[in-house]
Amino acid sequence: MKKQPESPLPGLLDSFFSTGLTPVAALTQFVFACGAMGGFLFSHSLNIDEELGLFTPFDISAQGRFALKLLGEILQAPGVIPLAPYVMLAAAYIFTNNAIVSIHGLRHSWKPQLGFLIFILFPTNWLNQEYSGLAAGLALGLICTSTADLLTGDLIRHRRLQLHRSCHSVLIVALLVLALSTFQSQITVYLAIGMGVTLFSMSQAEGDRSEVSFRSLPIWLVHPHATLTVYTLS
């Protein structure tokens, strides 16, 4: 581990922008993301769920998804579905993909770009895009989860005082709780990235360094357990 300044922000920004993502590549990804949303972005008709949401006093926060309710109140005027949730989701796709590339220590090439296309075209994403409120929730959840992954990677790589490490962990848990308040399955996204980073680092390491990579696995597990505890009690 390397000794770093107490604030993780400079290191996070450096690692996030070290992937070689250019403005042209980001714009290209944004265009692909908008195209992948198809008719949901460019033409919209109310589905059954949205019609029920307009005229039925259903409180989605009763399911523990309070962030979805808040986003709906902020972004959706009564009876009108704006463009904002889909623009947010396209930007979140780019942010999350670059975070995944960064945390694995990779740089942008044709392989990560292909991975980005598979990521945005995944069938579950298509289903969530059908309802603009879910699209905004997915965007917020992905940003919070990928940021938590970046912070966890920074926590593993650098040595800090115990107080700052504890504050670091509290911030990670807070981000994951917010992510879970959109979709509870976001916890599996965090775990999947953590497992991928661990396996990737082990495959790249040799000898004792491989064991060090494996010993970072509990850090990826303790935060989800703490998050589920806080989320259940809140």
Side-chain angles (χ1 to χ4, degrees):
M1 291 186 182
K2 295 181 292 184
K3 181 66 176 177
Q4 281 288 104
E6 303 303 344
S7 174
L9 184 58
L12 282 182
L13 292 176
D14 289 343
S15 63
F16 186 80
F17 290 111
S18 67
T19 59
L21 181 65
T22 64
V24 173
L27 180 60
T28 302
Q29 289 183 350
F30 184 80
V31 172
F32 276 123
C34 290
M37 295 178 194
F40 299 136
L41 177 63
F42 301 109
S43 63
H44 187 85
S45 60
L46 292 178
N47 58 32
I48 294 175
D49 290 335
E50 289 170 328
E51 290 177 355
L52 287 174
L54 290 174
F55 303 109
T56 304
F58 173 69
D59 187 3
I60 198 171
S61 62
Q63 299 178 352
R65 304 168 75 181
F66 55 84
L68 277 184
K69 180 181 179 181
L70 181 61
L71 284 171
E73 293 175 351
I74 294 174
L75 297 176
Q76 292 178 250
V80 178
I81 308 301
L83 196 65
Y86 296 102
V87 174
M88 286 176 55
L89 183 56
Y93 282 153
I94 298 170
F95 179 88
T96 302
N97 181 71
N98 195 58
I100 293 173
V101 173
S102 171
I103 200 171
H104 284 80
L106 301 175
R107 290 182 60 83
H108 279 280
S109 64
W110 69 269
K111 292 180 181 179
Q113 295 287 34
L114 178 61
F116 176 76
L117 291 178
I118 296 173
F119 172 46
I120 64 175
L121 292 172
F122 203 72
T124 54
N125 289 342
W126 181 266
L127 293 174
N128 288 327
Q129 289 163 186
E130 186 178 6
Y131 181 30
S132 64
L134 295 182
L138 179 59
L140 177 62
L142 286 174
I143 290 173
C144 290
T145 303
S146 55
T147 303
D149 279 301
L150 284 170
L151 288 168
T152 305
D154 182 82
L155 189 64
I156 292 171
R157 288 192 302 270
H158 304 307
R159 184 173 65 250
R160 292 186 173 89
L161 297 176
Q162 185 59 44
L163 176 61
H164 291 92
R165 291 178 64 84
S166 299
C167 293
H168 211 113
S169 292
V170 168
L171 179 57
I172 292 170
V173 171
L175 286 168
L176 290 177
V177 169
L178 184 57
L180 261 65
S181 69
T182 59
F183 291 93
Q184 285 88 348
S185 58
Q186 287 288 347
I187 198 71
T188 62
V189 177
Y190 175 85
L191 285 169
I193 295 175
M195 300 304 103
V197 170
T198 302
L199 293 174
F200 187 81
S201 60
M202 288 176 64
S203 67
Q204 299 294 314
E206 297 180 358
D208 294 338
R209 291 182 61 191
S210 179
E211 288 188 28
V212 171
S213 298
F214 183 75
R215 285 201 295 269
S216 68
L217 188 59
I219 299 179
W220 290 103
L221 297 175
V222 69
H223 291 110
H225 282 87
T227 298
L228 290 173
T229 301
V230 174
Y231 181 74
T232 303
L233 295 175
S234 62

